[in-house]
Amino acid sequence: QGCTQKYVVKNYFYYYLFKFSAALGEEIFYITFLPFTYWNIDHSVSRRMIIVWSIVMYIGQVSKDILKWPRPLSPPVVKLEMRTNAEYGMPSTHAMAATAISFSFFIATINQYKYPFELGLVTAFVFSTLVCLSRLYTGMHTVLDVIGGALISAVLLVLLYPAWDTIDHLLLTSPFCPLFSIVVPLVLCYNYPKLDYYSPTRGDTTTILGAAAGATVGFWLNNQYAASAYTGKSVQPGLSLLTSTMVFVLVRFFVGISVVLLTRWVMKSVVLGMLGYWYKFPMGNLEARRRLEVEVPYKFVTYSSVGFTATVIVPLLHELLGLM
C-alpha cells in the first residue's frame, strides 16, 4: 500500500528533525553506529548492545505479525513513509530499538567511563524520545504503539541485564557458540509467522538476526585467536576528544564502513546470483526475491557476512594499517 496523500511542510525544523530521528531506528543507523562502537569505544559494550538489539528486535517483529494491529488510517493521518506501511503497527520496533540501544549503551558504559550519571540518562532518554516522537510525526504509529514498544523494550532490558555477563561469557568461550549462533537464528527465520500477504518484517528480522549471528561468530573467533583485549576493555582510545584521537576515530570509521558496505554489495550480488541460477529467476525479479526459500538465505548470508566483516576483517585491516 503506497502513500497517496499530498502534504505541505509548514515547519521545516520539525520535518527534518523527525525525519532524521526516524532514520535512527533504521538500517543506516545500525550499520554505522554499532560497528563504530566496536571499532572506537569498547568491544564489550558493542557485544552487549548487539545481543540486546537482536533479541529485542526479534520479539518486536514477531509480536507485530502475531497481534496484527493495523497502523493509523490515512486519511486522516498523513503518512510520510511508504515501505513500512505494509507492516502492522503494534509494537513500534523503532521505539523498541531506540530504547534498547540507547539505554543498553548507557548501562554498559556508566561503570567503565567517567561521565555524569545524569548526562548519560538524559542523553538516552532524549535519543529514544526523539525516535518515538518521529513515529507519531511521520504518521506510522499511534501513541499506544510507541508506548507499547518502549515499555516492552524496557522490560526486556530489565530481564536481560542480570544475565548480560553470563551470556557474554558463553558467547566468547563456549565451543558451541559458532554453531548455536548460526543454527538458532536460521531456525527462527525459517519458522517466522506466516501472513496472508507479503510484509517486509520477515526480511528485516532475517537481516537483524543474520548481522548478529555473523558478529557473534566474529566475537568468538577474536576471543579464541586474537589479543586478550577482545574479552575485556578495548585497547583502542575510548571517549577522549583530543584531536589526534578524533583523527584516528574518523579514519578507522571511514575505512571500516567502506569495507562493510563493499562486503554487503558483493555478497548481495553473489548470493542473489547463485539463488537466481538455482531457482531460475532474474536478479531483478522482486516477487521471486520475496519467496521464503530466497529471501531468508539471501539476507541471512549477506548480513552475517557484514557482521563477520565488521568484527573480524575490519579490525585486522585496522591493525595492518596501523590504526589501532
Side-chain angles (χ1 to χ4, degrees):
Q1 297 176 357
C3 179
T4 57
Q5 270 192 291
K6 294 182 179 179
Y7 58 88
V8 176
V9 179
K10 295 182 178 179
N11 189 314
Y12 280 95
F13 173 76
Y14 287 148
Y15 178 78
Y16 288 114
L17 172 65
F18 291 126
K19 289 287 282 184
F20 173 78
S21 299
L24 298 178
E26 297 174 357
E27 181 186 350
I28 187 162
F29 175 73
Y30 304 144
I31 208 170
T32 53
F33 179 72
L34 294 177
F36 178 89
T37 305
Y38 189 76
W39 300 330
N40 292 300
I41 299 180
D42 193 293
H43 295 149
S44 63
V45 171
S46 181
R47 290 196 303 268
R48 284 161 172 75
M49 288 174 61
I50 290 173
I51 291 168
V52 171
W53 168 68
S54 58
I55 294 174
V56 165
M57 287 299 288
Y58 174 76
I59 292 174
Q61 296 285 73
V62 169
S63 298
K64 278 186 178 183
D65 289 340
I66 291 177
L67 294 174
K68 298 183 178 180
W69 287 20
R71 289 184 182 269
L73 293 177
S74 177
V77 169
V78 177
K79 295 186 177 181
L80 306 187
E81 296 179 11
M82 295 178 62
R83 178 182 177 274
T84 56
N85 200 33
E87 300 178 8
Y88 289 107
M90 171 62 111
S92 167
T93 46
H94 272 71
M96 292 184 72
T99 303
I101 289 177
S102 59
F103 281 94
S104 61
F105 181 83
F106 166 62
I107 294 169
T109 57
I110 189 62
N111 292 325
Q112 298 192 40
Y113 298 99
K114 294 181 180 180
Y115 64 86
F117 176 88
E118 294 78 7
L119 175 62
L121 183 62
V122 169
T123 301
F125 180 78
V126 169
F127 177 90
S128 57
T129 299
L130 281 175
V131 175
C132 289
L133 291 177
S134 75
R135 308 316 289 157
L136 302 178
Y137 182 88
T138 55
M140 302 312 296
H141 284 286
T142 65
V143 173
L144 187 59
D145 294 343
V146 170
I147 293 175
L151 286 177
I152 292 171
S153 190
V155 170
L156 290 172
L157 269 174
V158 171
L159 293 176
L160 288 170
Y161 177 72
W164 267 16
D165 292 339
T166 302
I167 294 172
D168 190 49
H169 178 73
L170 288 174
L171 291 180
L172 290 176
T173 60
S174 173
F176 301 106
C177 173
L179 181 64
F180 178 87
S181 300
I182 298 298
V183 172
V184 172
L186 273 175
V187 170
L188 294 176
C189 292
Y190 275 108
N191 291 277
Y192 193 82
K194 293 180 174 60
L195 297 176
D196 296 331
Y197 64 93
Y198 177 79
S199 168
T201 48
R202 184 184 65 201
D204 291 345
T205 303
T206 305
T207 295
I208 293 164
L209 294 184
T216 303
V217 173
F219 298 151
W220 183 85
L221 280 175
N222 286 334
N223 185 65
Q224 300 300 314
Y225 303 107
S228 59
Y230 282 94
T231 61
K233 272 195 172 184
S234 170
V235 295
Q236 302 167 7
L239 300 175
S240 172
L241 297 179
L242 295 174
T243 302
S244 59
T245 299
M246 291 307 297
V247 169
F248 271 92
V249 165
L250 291 174
V251 173
R252 275 198 297 267
F253 174 72
F254 284 114
V255 169
I257 202 64
S258 298
V259 175
V260 165
L261 293 176
L262 178 63
T263 300
R264 184 179 67 163
W265 177 76
V266 170
M267 293 306 299
K268 179 179 178 179
S269 302
V270 170
V271 176
L272 266 181
M274 293 175 64
L275 290 170
Y277 176 79
W278 182 261
Y279 290 109
K280 310 300 181 186
F281 68 86
M283 288 181 62
N285 188 329
L286 184 59
E287 289 301 317
R289 288 164 54 176
R290 289 175 169 179
R291 286 154 43 189
L292 174 68
E293 66 270 22
V294 175
E295 184 176 59
V296 170
Y298 142 56
K299 293 206 168 183
F300 191 88
V301 173
T302 298
Y303 284 92
S304 60
S305 301
V306 167
F308 184 83
T309 298
T311 54
V312 177
I313 306 301
V314 171
L316 289 175
L317 181 60
H318 286 163
E319 186 173 5
L320 182 65
L321 296 175
L323 296 174
M324 299 297 286

